[in-house]
Amino acid sequence: MMTTRSLPWLLSSVLLFHAASAVAANETQLADLTAEDYFFTPMPMVLSASRLAQSQYQTPVAVTIIDRAMIDASGALDIPDLLRLVPGFQVSHAAGHTTSATYHGLADEYARRMQVLIDNRPVYGPVLGGVRWTDIPVDIEDIERIEVVRGPNTAAYGANSFLGAINITTIHSAQAKGNKVLLASGNKDMQKYYARHGGELGELNYRLTLAHREDEGFKSYKENIDQVITRDNLGVINYISYPPGIEVSGEGVDSKRVSLLNFRGDYIAPNHDVWEFHVGYNGGPRQEGRSILDWADPQRTREVESHFQQIKWERTFSADDSISIQFHHTLMDQSERSFSDLSIGEILFVEGIAPSLAAAQAYIASIGETDEPLLLDFSTHEQRYEIELQHNLRLDQSKRMAWGMSVRHDRVNGPGWFNTTDDIINNQHRLFANMEWQALDKTIINFGTMFEHSDLAGSHISPRLAVNYQLHPNHGLRAGVSRAIRMPTVLEQKIDSRLGFIDGPTLDVSTISPNKLTPERMRSFELGYLGNWPEKHLTLDAKLFHDEIEDRIHNPKDLASPYDPVDNRVLIYTNTGAVDINGAEFALSWRPATRTMANLSYAYAKANGWAFNALNNPNDPHDTENLQDDVPTHTISLFLMHRLPGRWDVSSTFYKVRAMRWLGDGDKLPGYKRLDFRIKKGFSIGNNREGHVALSLQNVLDEYQEFRAENIFDTRGYLELGLEF
């Protein structure tokens, strides 16, 4: 229910927007285009649904577009915040430097069921899965548009495009000539510095970006906790117990410093071949840990170094016939080594593995070891090489096709995760084809399939079939069915996490995978509608969906595991459980002129499913949990933007999400409301010099919890100064 505090903010936002629109009605001569000229332009073309350039009426699945105007007006500092504008998306910060973005829930901090591509290069991590958004070597200022496929897209982009896919396109270097600098500063110790230069050398257009960003993250936190471990002046550990429901406050270390470089070059050869060159770097420290004594989460620093190189060649024979070859190399190094606040003997005692501290220390002495702090090594090294061939062609007057193949080589290392210093190698081969057939004058049939083989998960096929029917030039229907898979990550398939001595014996196995996982599977059914009313300047994108997910990958506790000879208790990755999701969603867009936009998005989803909470539980052989809370029932966003006379831009975004349980280290959290504002003033300095100042406020309503109960998101704001010359 909306609080009395939130109602005035929302009403003022709507009234301000309404007043601004009224002013604009008398100022239409200042617009670049009239409302009619603007709205009667064709529907945007998208590439991400089938690898073919298609109108949104022709795509086999629902697609949302976030363009540069929306990115500017949103005031977002991070790419995932833009996804709040997409129907059915949830975004949450597991830490100040770790963001989870998912479609229809079912996500931990890595959101492993979403594929993300930047300029057609996948950034889904091979070790932990998902995307570490903070570590991507691209700044939000360099993004031209984002295409979000709302539904399985495995037929086009392979496994892990499970719940959906996000394709980010950066600004073409020919559109970024000149210089741009931006400075921003705000609370939470937020600082951002951004500089970009674009130019040309003959037929080569290029742009180069340097940027730096830092903030304190969730420095302060609140948590409901039953017991805290402390150490007194004599070094003796003690327990402080709290009654149920008591909130404990503290401070952690959650800051980040991100330094970034990104280069793009676009070259047109004398024979009209097109070459693209991309290079990127992202590095810096991210802090982890809390002040309350927690042996598994001490205060520490994770040093990140991420870079990539990408080259693409494309030859175009005609409007529907082209061939391209793309190669990329990605490296991600995360160094995160520290020692626990407790000794190994103390850990054995507080975790209940040993009956007393004395017994634990006696056992350690009996095996010839010294009771010492435990080395916690969360470091990973991952490297990827991939080459892809794609051929787009027209088969005849009614049929177009995009087909291709790729070879990928992943090499990862993480001794603390896998109990080995050897590299783990996973090779993957893919063959894909997507065809569009104009079967009748008003009917288009889309068929696609992807064949994949990987060392870790074997061979699998993911088909998709969709029929699009054009009721009217401005109104179309879509019906589709698809099968999708999500490959297990290297961590899920190979994890072997143990408690023990450096180069010594194992005392306890904490998490294990028997290396027998199969991919998660989904059958998805969709009915969609897309229509616009030019006279009313409205566009409506709506769909009904039914998703059936099986073989869910999960890590319940096995209470009688042969993998742990000490206490027979271990977290074990296995395929367990299933969930069905039924729902409906829509996006309503109103664009009466280039200067004005209003977008309303809504999604309803109802989940029903189960998974084992524990295996071999002697007290409850069928110890399962209901998965309905893993998907929020209602997600709403309202985005308003308008340009006033005098080069004043105002925008506002309202979000509302119902209660949801975040998986992994996340919590079940109540629903929340959030309201953001941005006001921007443009100005000119002499000839060809443009600038702006802007004030952005995030969450002007009540504070709320993100991902974990301890992460409190309060009001945040920052000032921005930008210059282009």
Side-chain angles (χ1 to χ4, degrees), residues 45-47 50-60 318-322 391-403 433-439 444-448:
M45 303 295 286
V46 297
L47 297 171
S50 64
R51 293 179 178 254
L52 292 165
Q54 294 177 302
S55 162
Q56 286 184 286
Y57 288 118
Q58 301 169 326
T59 60
S318 66
D320 293 318
D321 194 349
S322 64
H391 184 195
N392 288 25
L393 70 159
R394 178 169 289 279
L395 301 175
D396 58 35
Q397 286 298 105
S398 62
K399 301 182 187 69
R400 294 189 302 152
M401 181 178 184
W403 74 275
N434 287 269
M435 186 177 73
E436 176 194 276
W437 175 31
Q438 184 89 42
I444 288 177
I445 298 176
N446 281 282
F447 174 75

Side-chain angles (χ1 to χ4, degrees), residues 135-138 258-263 279-284 304-308:
D135 304 339
I136 294 175
V138 65
V258 181
S259 297
L260 181 149
L261 177 149
N262 187 274
F263 172 85
V279 177
Y281 169 84
N282 180 312
V304 173
E305 181 178 339
S306 169
H307 61 76
F308 77 95

